[in-house]
Amino acid sequence: MAATYRRRLQRGAASTAVAALVLAALTASQAPTLSDTAAARKQKPAPPADTPIDGGSAYFTDRPPLNRPAPHPEKHDSGPGPVVVTGPAEAGLPATVLAAYKKAASAVHASDPGCRLPWQLLAGIGKVESGQARGGAVDAEGTTLQPIIGPQLNGHGFALITDTDGGRYDGDLTHDRAVGPMQFIPSTWSNGGPDGAGWGADGNGDGKKDPHNVFDAALAAGHYLCAGGRDLSAQDDLDRAILGYNDSEDYLRTVLSWYTFYRKGTHEVPDGRGVLPVHHGGADRTGDHGGRTGGTQPKRGSGAPDRHPGTDKPGKADKSNHPRKPGGSHGTGPTPGGTGTPSPKPTPTPPAPKPPTEPTRLTVLERVGDEDLSATAGGEFATSPRVRAKDAAGRAVAGAPVRFTLPAAAGARFPGGATSVTVPTDKDGLATAPTLRAGDKAGTFTIRATAVGRTAPAVAFGATVEAEPAPKADKIARTSDKELTATAGQPFAEDAVEVEATYQGKAAPGVAITATMITAGPEPEENDKGPYFKDPEATGAGKGKPVRTLTGLTTDADGLLKLPKIYTDKHAGTFLLRLTTADGAVLTVKLKVAPAGS
């Protein structure tokens, strides 16, 4: 459920041509004039021309609570100390899901800053589409623990879309189903995006595009919402983007209500502890391909009875979450088909939301692995920090959020440039930080792992970044066998000496080479006469000063090095030039100098 499906399946050529004209018109309008923009904002936004990305599938119709209680201290059932509740339970977003929304919005802002995509919009859509990945039931990488799959798109109440993915994403070999926390149609994910490339994205940098991963799905949704040059700070563009997700006015109102709710404030809760919606506009989205839970569910937008936030009891409508109907007092209007005389009824009070609790209290974080972490500058650490969460009896605690934090000055970063990440423990109580990349400078730093919302002592990991090893060369050879000759008092030809450095038979780029004019004999020394270089660093009166040793020479990307121009003094004879590397590769070159006037 996350982007206009640009090619409606089972359409004829004429319909395709019309869709192409619509797309061309949208593309041409990406840079409107001020007058065009003003005129457009006076008009009601047009619904999308093609099938929504979710195929018009079912969605949750819960609305956010009308009132938001002020922050107050409350004792957490599974923790020894007080915590601060910053809003109702519905304002709590699972840690990994929240991180995915924020990361996606940041990535879209970097590539399309004019869209002004707020992460709260992704949160609003994620709430309505999947209940924030079913309360944050995701693993450390953001992949749902069980597939979230919508009803079969068989044309009965939804779009008719026959199978396009061979069941790869939705397990259905006859029809497509919306999949994942943002409910994409498989065909839209794979090939229904711009230029037929699909809207699928890799949001967590693992090299895969998985609609069941909340990082991937959130980034894909962000790109779709911003498509067509939209500016989501403009209400018309915002409405069009949401309607493109699901062409329903009720869907639009529901998403906007959650978007507004999240903009007023949210807080992080552990993965798997988010509030699950209880009111559906259609079939359940579950791991069993969206099968109905019993009875006949109302169609989307049908106005099925609301339920109180925080409860799962049907039949007690919370009309405060919906617009008032004309001619009736709030919550006391006449019953359709009755006598028109309202019967006063007491308004039930919703129960106060309770903070999430853990079935087992975490008291200890235990480091896994004794060795400190190491990497070369600019490279990835071979292993990641890892801890195990335990209770007082030494039993593993699953589902506990663990935050890994880096010092900003270290230069090392988690994926997405983050200096901290929150990872839930798995069924064995293990939490492993994502891949860590070292900065460009050598040094040491400490990584800390802390239990979120718990007083368990932090765990420290020592990390060392070593300088990148110098390039190696085990052989130096001239690229020409031409004899090198000059006349005393005259220089050798320009670039007369060119050499190639290799290591194990392959070109060795970036290798440092030292060139020295030496004497002959069993113990050669730097020569004080004959050929020489000019000091490249000398200035003023010393400019052009003869030197017979040059350092700092480096081979290029192909392992080649052309020596600077070589000059001669008045001495004639055969002289020696020695080239060496730090790894012990040596090349001796003969330089012949003929007497002047010969």
Side-chain angles (χ1 to χ4, degrees):
M1 279 181 85
T4 300
Y5 187 33
R6 297 295 182 191
R7 296 180 300 143
R8 182 188 296 274
L9 297 177
Q10 299 185 350
R11 274 192 174 181
S15 178
T16 302
V18 171
L21 291 174
V22 171
L23 181 59
L26 287 172
T27 304
S29 66
Q30 290 182 7
T33 64
L34 292 176
S35 60
D36 291 338
T37 302
R41 291 180 180 176
K42 294 180 181 179
Q43 301 174 358
K44 182 180 178 181
D50 291 322
T51 306
I53 282 186
D54 67 343
S57 187
Y59 54 85
F60 290 110
T61 56
D62 284 3
R63 298 289 179 93
L66 182 64
N67 298 318
R68 180 184 294 270
H72 59 282
E74 210 174 282
K75 183 135 179 106
H76 199 294
D77 291 348
S78 57
V83 297
V84 175
V85 178
T86 58
E90 288 84 352
L93 292 173
T96 299
V97 177
L98 176 59
Y101 295 151
K102 290 184 175 181
K103 182 177 180 181
S106 177
V108 172
H109 178 74
S111 61
D112 187 5
C115 175
R116 297 175 175 85
L117 170 69
W119 66 262
Q120 292 91 341
L121 177 59
L122 295 174
I125 291 175
K127 177 71 172 180
V128 175
E129 293 295 341
S130 68
Q132 310 300 12
R134 299 199 63 79
V138 297
D139 63 17
E141 284 72 39
T143 302
T144 56
L145 300 180
Q146 291 185 342
I148 301 175
I149 301 177
Q152 192 178 67
L153 300 176
N154 54 14
H156 300 298
F158 313 112
L160 173 61
I161 303 178
T162 54
D163 177 56
T164 63
D165 66 333
R168 175 185 177 186
Y169 295 123
D170 57 12
D172 193 321
L173 297 177
T174 60
H175 293 83
D176 271 352
R177 301 169 181 258
V179 296
M182 302 302 278
Q183 289 289 280
F184 276 83
I185 298 175
S187 55
T188 305
W189 182 266
S190 300
N191 55 30
D195 303 323
W199 288 100
D202 178 13
N204 60 355
D206 64 356
K208 298 182 292 184
K209 298 178 180 180
D210 182 4
H212 296 287
N213 182 278
V214 69
F215 287 95
D216 295 357
L219 181 58
H223 286 316
Y224 166 69
L225 293 167
C226 289
R230 293 189 183 109
D231 176 0
L232 299 182
S233 65
Q235 188 63 48
D236 285 355
D237 277 0
L238 178 63
D239 290 351
R240 289 188 183 95
I242 297 171
L243 286 171
Y245 223 107
N246 192 307
D247 184 14
S248 161
E249 290 293 332
D250 184 65
Y251 179 86
L252 173 64
R253 288 190 296 270
T254 306
V255 169
L256 286 176
S257 67
W258 282 106
Y259 168 54
T260 302
F261 178 77
Y262 289 136
R263 283 174 66 91
K264 293 179 180 178
T266 60
H267 59 275
E268 180 183 293
V269 299
D271 288 338
R273 305 296 179 188
V275 174
L276 288 174
V278 294
H279 179 196
H280 301 73
D284 256 351
R285 294 192 178 97
T286 66
D288 61 357
H289 312 307
R292 298 181 185 273
T293 57
T296 302
Q297 297 280 359
K299 293 183 179 180
R300 61 188 181 95
S302 63
D306 285 329
R307 308 186 186 199
H308 279 293
T311 73
D312 58 358
K313 297 179 179 180
K316 295 182 180 180
D318 181 2
K319 295 184 175 65
S320 64
N321 290 335
H322 301 277
R324 301 184 186 186
K325 295 183 179 181
S329 60
H330 182 50
T332 59
T335 303
T339 62
T341 302
S343 300
K345 295 181 180 180
T347 302
T349 302
K354 294 182 179 180
T357 60
E358 281 186 25
T360 307
R361 181 181 297 179
L362 186 160
T363 59
V364 176
L365 277 185
E366 182 182 85
R367 174 172 174 162
V368 178
D370 297 329
E371 296 184 3
D372 283 349
L373 310 176
S374 62
T376 57
E380 292 183 351
F381 283 80
T383 57
S384 295
R386 195 180 194 193
V387 296
R388 177 178 279 107
K390 294 183 176 181
D391 63 10
R395 296 169 299 196
V397 178
V402 176
R403 180 173 292 121
F404 295 91
T405 306
L406 308 170
R413 294 292 185 269
F414 291 116
T419 56
S420 68
V421 293
T422 301
V423 179
T425 55
D426 62 16
K427 61 182 178 63
D428 298 317
L430 294 173
T432 304
T435 302
L436 177 62
R437 177 170 291 277
D440 295 331
K441 295 181 180 180
T444 60
F445 60 94
T446 300
I447 306 168
R448 290 173 59 83
T450 55
V452 178
R454 301 293 180 270
T455 58
V459 174
F461 297 82
T464 301
V465 178
E466 300 175 349
E468 188 175 358
K472 294 182 178 181
D474 54 16
K475 183 179 180 181
I476 308 175
R478 285 187 63 198
T479 58
S480 170
D481 57 2
K482 183 179 180 180
E483 189 176 63
L484 300 172
T485 62
T487 302
Q490 300 295 321
F492 282 81
E494 196 81 31
D495 300 331
V497 181
E498 182 184 61
V499 297
E500 179 184 24
T502 57
Y503 182 69
Q504 296 181 353
K506 297 181 179 180
V511 174
I513 293 179
T514 298
T516 306
M517 301 295 178
I518 60 171
T519 60
E523 297 182 3
E525 299 177 348
E526 181 181 275
N527 209 335
D528 59 357
K529 58 181 178 291
Y532 63 90
F533 303 103
K534 288 185 178 181
D535 188 350
E537 299 181 358
T539 59
K543 189 174 183 179
K545 174 184 175 181
V547 293
R548 290 184 168 83
T549 297
L550 281 183
T551 59
L553 303 173
T554 306
T555 58
D556 63 16
D558 298 318
L560 300 175
L561 170 65
K562 291 182 179 180
L563 267 63
K565 194 172 186 178
I566 301 175
Y567 299 85
T568 64
D569 58 14
K570 62 182 180 180
H571 298 91
T574 299
F575 299 89
L576 301 178
L577 167 64
R578 183 176 62 189
L579 305 174
T580 60
T581 71
D583 300 306
V586 178
L587 172 66
T588 301
V589 179
K590 291 183 179 180
L591 302 174
K592 293 185 178 181
V593 181
S598 60

